[in-house]
């Protein structure tokens, strides 16, 4: 694991690095910890996909941690951001850029441990997959990449942002794999139609005509189930919001 610390006060950056190393040692995770004294210095050496976690001090001379985070979000959305700061003034804005946590100084080990544990849990979720057979080969498809699944004739197609993967299996078979991987309580896929299964995290809007997906596709909703589907989606969004704010 590679972790960046961007903090312009040397004493505080070194103290944070020790806390991070203590946590990684406690969970037997090998970590490379790089310390940067400015946002500009960090971005100059930043390469998408290199760092898994970045601790960013919001109040720095030059580029602020928030400015750095916005650049990271554009270049590498998978990099987990943990803000460190002396106040809560930017907490709301921090979560708008998908910050994993927001730590208020003075930092202690328990705060850093909690933030890094949250990141590890998020990493574990992002690597969950289902396995399907396509063209006589077994393929692992990351669950988070699936926008929706549709079935026609004897073929099920998994639509992702980068490709469509076809397999001779039933939609029920895909559902069973998703439930087994995610668990019933954390399953974020919704059967909105007998031929479609949608990732609720990838829905932009749900209305009378169907589910508008983030890639622009519109997925139909079975007419008799329209109110039920809309309620299930709104309940999911509500629970996600409560979970993030908690």
């Amino acid at each position: 694991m590679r972790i960046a610390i961007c903090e312009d006060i040397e004493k505080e950056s070194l103290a944070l690095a020790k806390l991070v190393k203590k946590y990684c040692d406690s969970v037997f995770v090998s970590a490379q910890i790089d310390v940067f004294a400015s946002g500009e210095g960090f971005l100059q050496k930043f390469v998408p996909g290199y760092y898994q976690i970045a601790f960013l001090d919001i109040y720095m001379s030059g580029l602020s941690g928030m400015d750095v985070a916005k650049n990271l979000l554009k270049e590498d959305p998978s990099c987990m951001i943990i803000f460190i700061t002396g106040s809560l003034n930017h907490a709301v804005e921090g979560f708008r850029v998908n910050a994993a946590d927001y730590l208020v100084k003075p930092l202690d080990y328990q705060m850093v441990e909690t933030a890094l544990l949250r990141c590890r849990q998020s990493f574990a979720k992002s690597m969950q997959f289902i396995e399907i057979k396509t063209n006589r080969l077994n393929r692992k498809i990351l669950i988070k990449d699936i926008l929706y699944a549709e079935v026609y004739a004897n073929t099920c197609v998994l639509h992702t942002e980068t490709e469509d993967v076809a397999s001779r299996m039933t939609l029920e078979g895909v559902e069973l794999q998703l439930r087994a991987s995610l668990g019933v309580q954390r399953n974020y896929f919704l059967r909105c139609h007998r031929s479609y299964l949608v990732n609720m995290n990838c829905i932009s809007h749900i209305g009378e005509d169907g589910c508008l997906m983030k890639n622009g596709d519109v997925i139909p909703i079975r007419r008799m189930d329209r109110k039920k589907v809309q309620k299930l989606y709104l309940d999911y969004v509500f629970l996600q919001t409560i979970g993030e704010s908690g």
Side-chain angles (χ1 to χ4, degrees):
M1 180 179 290
R2 289 182 287 269
I3 301 172
I5 294 174
C6 193
E7 162 69 77
D8 60 353
I9 301 175
E10 184 178 9
K11 180 180 178 180
E12 295 187 357
S13 63
L14 294 177
L16 175 56
K18 288 182 179 179
L19 294 176
V20 172
K21 185 178 186 306
K22 179 180 178 180
Y23 171 80
C24 292
D25 289 345
S26 73
V27 294
F28 305 102
V29 170
S30 177
Q32 174 184 319
I33 304 169
D34 297 333
V35 177
F36 299 90
S38 69
E40 291 86 349
F42 174 51
L43 290 178
Q44 283 176 2
K45 294 189 176 181
F46 175 77
V47 176
Y50 189 77
Y51 290 106
Q52 286 75 54
I53 300 172
F55 285 86
L56 306 176
D57 185 12
I58 288 183
Y59 298 104
M60 294 186 290
S61 56
L63 281 178
S64 70
M66 195 63 67
D67 293 329
V68 175
K70 289 174 181 176
N71 276 279
L72 287 186
L73 193 62
K74 293 177 183 176
E75 298 293 326
D76 186 3
S78 66
C79 182
M80 303 289 290
I81 296 169
I82 301 173
F83 284 119
I84 47 178
T85 183
S87 77
L88 289 169
N89 290 342
H90 294 275
V92 173
E93 188 177 1
F95 287 111
R96 284 177 181 163
V97 294
N98 296 327
D101 215 330
Y102 192 99
L103 309 183
V104 180
K105 300 176 183 178
L107 305 183
D108 59 34
Y109 178 71
Q110 186 174 1
M111 295 164 64
V112 173
E113 178 185 42
T114 300
L116 289 174
L117 178 59
R118 181 175 294 177
C119 289
R120 289 186 69 206
Q121 291 172 338
S122 180
F123 290 146
K125 290 179 183 177
S126 69
M127 296 307 294
Q128 290 175 308
F129 64 87
I130 62 173
E131 190 167 343
I132 66 171
K133 181 170 287 187
T134 178
N135 296 326
R136 298 184 180 180
L137 296 174
N138 289 329
R139 281 196 58 183
K140 294 177 180 178
I141 308 294
L142 290 178
I143 293 175
K144 68 180 179 63
D145 291 342
I146 301 172
L147 299 173
Y148 64 94
E150 69 170 315
V151 65
Y152 54 86
N154 295 317
T155 301
C156 183
V157 180
L158 302 182
H159 297 268
T160 74
E161 290 187 355
T162 57
E163 63 176 335
D164 297 336
V165 184
S167 177
R168 292 184 67 82
M169 63 187 302
T170 65
L171 204 56
E172 287 75 15
V174 173
E175 277 190 294
L176 286 174
Q177 284 205 54
L178 290 171
R179 288 175 186 169
S181 296
L182 299 173
V184 176
Q185 298 299 321
R186 295 183 176 180
N187 186 12
Y188 47 82
F189 281 81
L190 175 63
R191 186 73 172 265
C192 62
H193 187 279
R194 65 175 182 167
S195 301
Y196 291 90
L197 185 66
V198 296
N199 181 342
M200 289 189 281
N201 294 323
C202 299
I203 295 175
S204 291
H205 174 73
I206 189 166
E208 295 298 318
D209 295 330
C211 303
L212 174 63
M213 307 304 291
K214 290 181 179 179
N215 69 340
D217 291 350
V218 178
I219 308 303
I221 299 175
R222 191 178 179 187
R223 183 170 298 177
M224 66 175 62
D225 293 333
R226 186 171 294 162
K227 290 184 178 180
K228 178 183 176 182
V229 168
Q230 290 173 338
K231 184 180 186 305
L232 287 170
Y233 173 66
L234 291 175
D235 287 346
Y236 174 77
V237 172
F238 176 75
L239 290 174
Q240 289 297 106
T241 304
I242 294 299
E244 289 175 4
S245 62

